[in-house]
């Protein structure tokens, strides 16, 4: 299956100021597969180390983290020469070895101080100019919880998310549809909107976890897809006990995780700790909440009451909404049935319809690296705009509607009060612009946003 992050990795490979790369992402989003595919396309050889499955690797790094020593030991271990330009070195599950993590700084320092081989300067001009040699990628599902144990400033970073809607389309063989969406061909797309709505419903159920998408593309079996999703949820719950330092935090993580779908189906989707546990307070759950955010299993979207640039300086820490890593996992957790989504002529089950649409938009914007994301609301008022983004020195409100019914009093209130240059309403309606309002179909929301902020 094609992953668009492959282009990000290639940009890193060709970067003049390339450093060792840390590849972030929750477990099972496809990090290992992506790096292997990247190596197959762009390199002659791959040296892959997995610090979770092979404890003997740690001995090498515990002894010495100097690049010269590590390269020598790896060449002896794998019985092959490591070509600085043609070999990709992959440290998988690097969070299991702090010394391996420390070696990334050593590699960066050494590579910055070494002169690039003159004979390669013509073929690899970017690397020749920068003085960088070894191609090193490190990945791990729990890098986010390493806190101060990461080599800040000594690595490049990329985050991998679940597969986007367009990646899902390509996995199903709908390459031309994906291409039209990515080109933002609104005229061409308008004639196949019914087909795209049907495919969007499929994505709502299947989601973007690679294992689920692969099964659906191969068999079309929704029962097997749901089995995979439930297995993923179970495995994540198993991680709660394996990767926390304080056992008392585990039940709190479970309660928070299980409550996400319950919060999203409410009209006011703001996260309330008392809905998790009677008498629950932020102080009791803040460590558990941060663990879920740092592992990438949830997206935390904070509230802004007075939208000013930069948004990061004006959000309310105590007010936020939580979305899950993946829309398919959200549906599995909420036990949304296939019949609720695929019934002919029927909208998705009422209580989940808006929740799935919001989750979809959040996920698409995150995958497209459109951030930071916030939402707008006023104190002592029901007025609320689902998302705020910033770009081109402006703040753009995004209102999410799950069907073709697009009346929105909240967006009207926001526009009257703040008079934004651009506003976005995303729904199942075709593309259109009326004054400052851009109506963007749900299935091309990230591409539509990019048109305004780039």
């Amino acid at each position: 299956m094609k992953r668009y992050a492959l282009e990000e990795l290639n940009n890193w490979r060709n970067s003049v100021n390339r450093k060792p790369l840390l590849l972030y992402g929750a477990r099972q989003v496809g990090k290992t597969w992506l790096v292997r595919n990247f190596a197959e396309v762009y390199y002659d050889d791959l040296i892959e180390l997995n610090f979770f499955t092979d404890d003997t690797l740690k001995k090498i790094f515990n002894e010495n983290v100097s690049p010269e020593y590590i390269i020598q030991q790896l060449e002896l271990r794998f019985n092959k020469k490591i070509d600085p330009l043609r070999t990709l070195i992959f440290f998988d599950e690097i969070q299991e070895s702090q010394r391996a993590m420390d070696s990334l700084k050593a590699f960066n320092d050494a590579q910055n101080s070494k002169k690039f081989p003159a004979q390669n300067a013509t073929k690899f001009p970017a690397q020749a100019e920068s003085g960088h040699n070894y191609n090193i990628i490190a990945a791990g599902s729990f890098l986010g919880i390493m806190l101060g144990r990461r080599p800040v400033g000594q690595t490049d970073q990329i985050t991998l998310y679940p597969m986007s809607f367009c990646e899902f389309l390509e996995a199903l063989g709908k390459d031309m549809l994906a291409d039209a969406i990515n080109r933002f061909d609104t005229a061409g797309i308008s004639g196949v909107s019914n087909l795209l709505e049907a495919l969007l419903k499929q994505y709502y159920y299947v989601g973007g976890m690679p294992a689920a998408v692969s099964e659906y593309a191969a068999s079309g079996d929704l029962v097997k897809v749901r089995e995979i999703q439930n297995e993923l949820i179970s495995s994540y719950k198993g991680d709660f006990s394996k990767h926390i330092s304080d056992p008392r935090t585990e039940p709190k993580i479970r309660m928070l995780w299980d409550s996400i779908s319950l919060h999203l189906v409410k009209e006011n989707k703001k996260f309330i700790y008392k809905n998790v546990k009677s008498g629950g307070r932020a102080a009791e759950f803040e460590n558990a909440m941060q663990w879920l955010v740092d592992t990438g299993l949830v997206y935390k979207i904070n509230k802004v009451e007075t939208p000013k640039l930069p948004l990061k300086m004006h959000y309310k820490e105590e007010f936020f909404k939580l979305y899950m890593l993946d829309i398919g996992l959200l549906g599995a957790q909420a036990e949304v049935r296939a019949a609720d989504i695929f019934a002919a002529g029927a909208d998705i089950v009422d209580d989940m319809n808006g929740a799935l649409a919001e989750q979809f938009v959040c996920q698409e914007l995150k995958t497209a690296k459109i951030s930071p994301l916030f939402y707008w609301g006023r104190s002592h008022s029901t007025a609320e705009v689902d998302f705020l983004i910033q770009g081109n020195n402006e703040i753009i409100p995004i209102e999410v509607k799950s069907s073709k019914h697009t009346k929105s009093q909240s967006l009207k209130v926001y526009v009257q009060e703040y008079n934004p240059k651009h506003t976005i309403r995303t729904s199942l309606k075709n593309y259109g612009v009326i004054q400052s309002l851009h109506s963007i179909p749900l299935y091309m929301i990230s591409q539509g946003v990019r048109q305004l902020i780039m």
Side-chain angles (χ1 to χ4, degrees):
M1 296 185 295
K2 181 179 179 181
R3 298 303 307 268
Y4 295 164
L6 194 67
E7 183 177 350
E8 288 186 80
L9 293 182
N10 192 36
N11 290 338
W12 164 80
R13 182 180 73 97
N14 290 316
S15 172
V16 171
N17 299 310
R18 189 189 68 226
K19 303 173 183 178
L21 176 68
L22 278 178
L23 181 59
Y24 289 83
R27 196 156 67 83
Q28 300 297 325
V29 295
K31 297 185 298 298
T32 300
W33 182 92
L34 177 66
V35 175
R36 289 172 179 169
N37 182 244
F38 179 55
E40 183 178 348
V41 173
Y42 292 104
Y43 295 87
D44 293 337
D45 199 10
L46 172 66
I47 296 292
E48 181 175 341
L49 316 176
N50 189 306
F51 292 95
F52 180 76
T53 59
D54 190 348
D55 273 337
T56 64
L57 290 170
K58 298 176 184 178
K59 185 177 180 180
I60 296 174
F61 293 83
N62 289 339
E63 185 70 26
N64 192 329
V65 295
S66 71
E68 294 80 8
Y69 177 79
I70 292 172
I71 294 299
Q72 177 197 59
Q73 291 298 306
L74 294 181
E75 287 180 339
L76 292 172
R77 183 184 183 92
F78 290 91
N79 193 35
K80 61 174 70 174
K81 291 295 293 182
I82 295 177
D83 187 314
L85 297 173
R86 296 175 175 82
T87 302
L88 178 63
I89 304 173
F90 179 31
F91 296 170
D92 203 4
E93 301 298 350
I94 194 173
Q95 77 277 348
E96 300 295 327
S97 171
Q98 180 59 47
R99 292 284 283 172
M101 183 70 79
D102 295 338
S103 75
L104 300 181
K105 180 182 183 302
F107 270 102
N108 185 58
D109 291 344
Q111 290 173 186
N112 276 326
S113 65
K114 284 188 175 181
K115 194 171 183 179
F116 193 88
Q119 65 269 26
N120 293 318
T122 302
K123 191 171 183 180
F124 301 93
Q127 288 87 338
E129 182 179 340
S130 67
H132 287 68
N133 291 324
Y134 293 107
N135 292 256
I136 299 175
I137 296 179
S141 301
F142 298 94
L143 292 177
I145 62 175
M146 293 190 74
L147 300 176
R149 298 185 291 129
R150 293 169 293 182
V152 178
Q154 305 296 323
T155 60
D156 293 319
Q157 294 91 35
I158 292 175
T159 300
L160 184 65
Y161 295 95
M163 297 175 71
S164 67
F165 180 58
C166 281
E167 288 177 314
F168 172 77
L169 291 178
E170 294 202 29
L172 298 187
K174 308 291 185 182
D175 301 53
M176 294 187 69
L177 280 177
D179 179 65
I181 291 174
N182 283 323
R183 288 187 290 104
F184 202 59
D185 181 6
T186 55
I189 288 297
S190 64
V192 290
S193 59
N194 288 339
L195 172 60
L196 281 166
E197 288 175 27
L199 289 165
L200 182 64
K201 286 189 175 185
Q202 293 174 38
Y203 184 79
Y204 275 15
Y205 189 89
V206 177
M209 298 304 288
V213 175
S214 179
E215 177 60 49
Y216 187 65
S219 69
D221 191 331
L222 293 174
V223 173
K224 289 183 178 179
V225 167
R226 182 49 56 87
E227 289 174 354
I228 289 171
Q229 292 167 338
N230 287 331
E231 287 171 4
L232 287 171
I233 291 173
S234 295
S235 69
Y236 287 148
K237 288 183 176 180
D239 290 335
F240 297 165
S241 60
K242 296 176 184 176
H243 298 278
I244 56 174
S245 56
D246 185 352
R248 294 174 296 180
T249 306
E250 180 191 351
K252 298 172 186 177
I253 293 174
R254 288 179 178 273
M255 284 189 282
L256 289 173
W257 173 260
D258 291 339
S259 71
I260 293 175
S261 59
L262 299 177
H263 278 88
L264 286 179
V265 298
K266 296 180 181 296
E267 184 175 354
N268 181 355
K269 297 176 175 61
K270 181 182 73 175
F271 198 89
I272 301 173
Y273 287 104
K274 291 180 181 179
N275 290 342
V276 178
K277 174 187 174 184
S278 179
R281 295 185 176 184
E284 180 183 2
F285 286 95
E286 60 184 357
N287 289 337
M289 176 74 70
Q290 195 60 48
W291 190 93
L292 284 170
V293 172
D294 289 341
T295 56
L297 291 178
V298 304
Y299 307 132
K300 184 181 180 184
I301 310 299
N302 284 95
K303 176 182 178 181
V304 170
E305 291 186 355
T306 305
K308 295 180 180 179
L309 291 170
L311 287 170
K312 277 189 174 181
M313 298 292 291
H314 299 282
Y315 72 86
K316 300 288 185 179
E317 179 65 36
E318 66 273 26
F319 299 119
F320 59 90
K321 295 188 284 188
L322 288 185
Y323 296 90
M324 289 189 73
L325 165 72
D326 174 65
I327 191 170
L329 297 183
L330 174 64
Q333 188 192 67
E335 298 184 359
V336 175
R337 302 173 305 162
D340 296 326
I341 294 179
F342 295 108
D347 283 333
I348 299 167
V349 60
D350 290 340
D351 288 343
M352 284 299 295
N353 199 14
L356 290 174
E358 277 194 42
Q359 168 73 38
F360 173 78
V361 171
C362 178
Q363 192 170 329
E364 286 287 289
L365 296 179
K366 282 282 188 180
T367 302
K369 312 297 172 68
I370 297 170
S371 62
L373 295 179
F374 298 91
Y375 76 97
W376 174 79
R378 296 193 304 187
S379 298
H380 313 297
S381 171
T382 58
E384 181 178 295
V385 175
D386 299 308
F387 298 103
L388 295 180
I389 60 170
Q390 63 184 57
N392 290 333
N393 201 34
E394 66 171 314
I395 296 170
I396 302 174
I398 302 176
E399 182 74 12
V400 180
K401 293 297 181 181
S402 57
S403 65
K404 291 185 172 70
H405 304 294
T406 57
K407 289 185 178 180
S408 173
Q409 185 62 31
S410 292
L411 186 59
K412 183 178 180 181
V413 169
Y414 183 95
V415 170
Q416 289 174 343
E417 189 159 343
Y418 300 106
N419 191 30
K421 181 180 178 181
H422 297 101
T423 61
I424 294 175
R425 179 183 291 134
T426 183
S427 68
L428 292 181
K429 279 189 173 181
N430 284 332
Y431 178 78
V433 181
I434 301 177
Q435 296 178 338
S436 67
L437 176 62
H438 294 250
S439 178
I440 301 175
L442 279 164
Y443 39 78
M444 58 197 318
I445 180 60
S446 64
Q447 293 79 7
V449 169
R450 283 200 176 279
Q451 295 294 314
L452 293 179
I453 66 174
M454 289 182 65

